[in-house]
Amino acid sequence: EAGVVQSPRYKIIEKKQPVAFWCNPISGHNTLYWYLQNLGQGPELLIRYENEEAVDDSQLPKDRFSAERLKGVDSTLKIQPAELGDSAVYLCASSWGVAIGAGELFFGEGSRLTVL
Amino acid sequence: RKEVEQDPGPFNVPEGATVAFNCTYSNSASQSFFWYRQDCRKEPKLLMSVYSSGNEDGRFTAQLNRASQYISLLIRDSKLSDSATYLCVVKVDNDMRFGAGTRLTVKP
């Protein structure tokens, strides 16, 4: 069975340029997460989707970040314009749901962004 | 105060050693608890869930103390392959919150 697929794996851009990351979750997983991970830190939640609905986007910097999950499957995370501090790994994860006890998140390999 | 706090380490131990990691969480309404493992430049993967009664999986033992809001992970008979970062994860309001991780290096 295919895991969570993310692209691109690596992206180098200059500041003020736009960038987009794509995620395809595991088939049948209705919950999708975008996390940001800086070096030496744990993943920090940006947004969580239940099907196509963004149920928690409180940590998403909405002035420059946007996300969508059309049709409740694939998702895209966009940054426009990118800043130097956005350099990080952007991780997508999916799970069966949020029922108590349902705790396994399946992560993609991440998209490593470098902003110059 | 961070929602999930861990000793960042690093822990450098010889093969065969026993090592323990601690984690505290701030939200008393936290629902579920987990340990994830992350290898260098790889994605996090679930190591084990943590139950109130404590649970064991081979060389790994996890404990939860809800009154103290404290979680632990014990690794016995460390192997070289245990070298990784161990992330404490707490489920809060249906969101999974990660600690900063504790880095472990097991040496020959």
Side-chain angles (χ1 to χ4, degrees):
Chain A
E1 181 182 331
V4 176
V5 179
Q6 289 188 246
S7 68
R9 288 290 313 280
Y10 304 92
K11 188 73 176 180
I12 301 174
I13 60 173
E14 295 187 345
K15 62 181 181 181
K16 301 186 181 179
Q17 295 300 305
V19 63
F21 306 114
W22 174 81
C23 174
N24 180 238
I26 291 173
S27 177
H29 282 192
N30 60 339
T31 305
L32 184 146
Y33 307 76
W34 282 103
Y35 285 88
L36 174 156
Q37 187 172 27
N38 287 302
L39 188 64
Q41 299 296 314
E44 299 172 26
L45 181 67
L46 291 172
I47 189 168
R48 173 169 65 90
Y49 283 94
E50 295 296 334
N51 299 304
E52 65 272 12
E53 182 182 359
V55 295
D56 184 357
D57 63 355
S58 57
Q59 303 302 313
L60 190 72
K62 298 180 183 63
D63 56 336
R64 297 183 301 106
F65 286 65
S66 64
E68 60 182 12
R69 191 184 184 196
L70 300 176
K71 301 180 181 179
V73 181
D74 294 4
S75 178
T76 302
L77 177 70
K78 297 179 181 178
I79 308 174
Q80 182 171 10
E83 297 179 352
L84 294 176
D86 296 333
S87 296
V89 177
Y90 292 82
L91 291 163
C92 178
S94 69
S95 71
W96 290 108
V98 294
I100 292 177
E104 185 162 11
L105 298 187
F106 294 84
F107 283 88
E109 293 181 297
S111 294
R112 184 176 297 272
L113 173 66
T114 301
V115 182
L116 303 176
Chain B
R1 183 185 173 189
K2 290 185 179 179
E3 215 160 358
V4 182
E5 295 208 56
Q6 295 183 246
D7 182 342
F11 284 62
N12 297 303
V13 303
E15 270 187 293
T18 296
V19 61
F21 304 138
N22 302 320
C23 171
T24 58
Y25 59 96
S26 60
N27 192 327
S28 60
S30 298
Q31 302 155 291
S32 307
F33 310 89
F34 312 89
W35 284 101
Y36 274 66
R37 170 191 169 130
Q38 186 171 25
D39 292 303
C40 188
R41 301 181 76 86
K42 297 288 188 179
E43 71 274 22
K45 293 183 179 178
L46 178 67
L47 177 66
M48 60 194 303
S49 301
V50 187
Y51 304 117
S52 297
S53 54
N55 50 300
E56 190 173 306
D57 182 2
R59 298 181 292 108
F60 298 83
T61 301
Q63 298 274 358
L64 166 65
N65 185 321
R66 283 189 181 267
S68 302
Q69 296 181 197
Y70 170 88
I71 306 160
S72 66
L73 176 68
L74 182 77
I75 305 176
R76 292 183 300 278
D77 188 23
S78 300
K79 310 292 185 190
L80 296 177
S81 57
D82 294 334
S83 297
T85 295
Y86 290 83
L87 297 159
C88 177
V89 184
V90 174
K91 193 174 193 178
V92 180
D93 295 332
N94 292 326
D95 282 331
M96 301 288 275
R97 307 284 182 175
F98 286 72
T102 299
R103 187 172 170 186
L104 171 67
T105 301
V106 181
K107 299 185 175 180

